[in-house]
Amino acid sequence: MASATMARPSLTSNDSAVLQALFDAESSPSSGVTIDPRLPAWPATVLISHDDLQSLKGLEVEIVRELQPDKNPNFESVQTAVHKLDSIVQQYPSYPSAYINRAQTLRMLVDLQFNEISNANADEGSSDTLFTPEATDLATRILNDLSQAIDLAKPISPVNPVSPVQARLLADAYTHRGYIVLKAARIKKNHNSEEIGNVGPQRLWGVGADQLEEMASRDFFLGGQYGNKVAQQLAVQTNPYAKMCGAIVKEAMRKEINGS
């Protein structure tokens, strides 16, 4: 007579570590990123003198301060901030911080300019101002700026250490870009192209929903690696392998509970 005790699979230490990394965002291997406070704020590819960097930092602080909620920024003040950041980018095209600050300022501009349109279209596909047809050009600029900030700030090799300033920028930029890409994936999954047309950043138009979700998961993973806790959680939720393993585990548990 066969034993009524169900044999349970044993996991190797490696298997356990993989499952832990897949299902527990806090265990994401952020140790793979080395942050060295002794390093200069930006890599050598950012060809700006120390004095100019200090001046730029002060100028950016002034710009961002005017956009704080207690200043009650309106469309005109946000647009002025965008123009100031345009000037910085034009004069210092290798300066990563200006690109991410401009991306975030443009995001505010989109909300102020297209909020009413977005609310009116909430039942038609997306309540996000960034994914209204009218916001296409600005959405494209935002995604391009985030990508440029990442390209300029990321280390030459993943094993190279980064400064705390680099790490913060990369964490924010990867997470922001991941959100935009994930939003595009959700819209494509929930509505066909005939219903909503092409919305959002143009470079994402021809990409399928599943591929977009994988791209977003990758960005969230990297954002988490550089220290963004929200990105760590979203990386797990969007990781296709975690989803697959989750389905396998759930099915195994169901069979064990039912005794089959």
Side-chain angles (χ1 to χ4, degrees):
M1 182 177 177
S3 171
T5 302
M6 180 178 292
R8 288 172 171 74
S10 59
L11 295 176
T12 66
S13 58
N14 183 65
D15 291 337
S16 297
V18 170
L19 287 173
Q20 179 74 0
L22 285 171
F23 293 106
D24 181 5
E26 295 301 323
S27 71
S28 295
S30 56
S31 58
V33 172
T34 301
I35 299 176
D36 188 346
R38 298 169 299 178
L39 290 174
W42 302 113
T45 51
V46 178
L47 305 175
I48 306 175
S49 69
H50 175 74
D51 289 343
D52 282 351
L53 281 173
Q54 293 301 110
S55 297
L56 287 172
K57 183 178 179 180
L59 180 57
E60 284 183 300
V61 168
E62 290 180 9
I63 294 171
V64 172
R65 186 179 292 127
E66 292 301 313
L67 301 177
Q68 297 304 305
D70 62 318
K71 295 287 187 177
N72 195 26
N74 55 27
F75 180 82
E76 287 73 22
S77 62
V78 175
Q79 196 170 43
T80 297
V82 171
H83 291 328
K84 289 179 179 178
L85 290 164
D86 286 342
S87 298
I88 294 176
V89 168
Q90 185 174 7
Q91 189 171 0
Y92 300 97
S94 66
Y95 183 49
S97 183
Y99 290 95
I100 189 169
N101 280 324
R102 186 170 66 176
Q104 293 165 343
T105 306
L106 286 169
R107 189 69 178 87
M108 294 178 64
L109 194 68
V110 169
D111 287 339
L112 288 168
Q113 187 170 358
F114 300 114
N115 188 53
E116 291 184 5
I117 295 174
S118 175
N119 290 337
N121 294 340
D123 295 332
E124 298 178 13
S126 172
S127 60
D128 192 315
T129 51
L130 201 62
F131 288 87
T132 56
E134 295 81 3
T136 295
D137 289 343
L138 288 176
T140 300
R141 288 185 64 189
I142 290 169
L143 190 66
N144 288 345
D145 273 355
L146 292 171
S147 298
Q148 186 68 4
I150 290 169
D151 288 343
L152 291 169
K154 68 183 181 183
I156 296 175
S157 168
V159 300
N160 287 6
V162 296
S163 72
V165 173
Q166 273 179 278
R168 284 195 297 273
L169 181 143
L170 290 167
D172 290 344
Y174 276 121
T175 304
H176 192 168
R177 190 174 72 176
Y179 166 78
I180 293 173
V181 176
L182 181 61
K183 185 70 176 180
R186 295 288 187 259
I187 290 173
K188 290 196 176 188
K189 279 192 173 183
N190 295 332
H191 303 85
N192 63 51
S193 58
E194 293 181 357
E195 288 178 324
I196 60 171
N198 285 319
V199 293
Q202 292 181 0
R203 64 193 293 184
L204 304 181
W205 285 2
V207 186
D210 290 340
Q211 186 178 351
L212 286 172
E213 192 164 284
E214 290 178 11
M215 291 164 58
S217 181
R218 177 63 177 169
D219 274 354
F220 289 139
F221 173 77
L222 291 168
Q225 288 274 286
Y226 286 106
N228 189 294
K229 298 297 184 182
V230 173
Q232 290 177 8
Q233 297 289 339
L234 289 170
V236 173
Q237 295 174 23
T238 56
N239 186 328
Y241 299 104
K243 289 181 178 179
M244 179 180 67
C245 289
I248 293 171
V249 170
K250 287 178 182 178
E251 177 64 14
M253 291 175 67
R254 184 191 68 77
K255 288 182 178 180
E256 183 166 345
I257 291 171
N258 294 336
S260 61

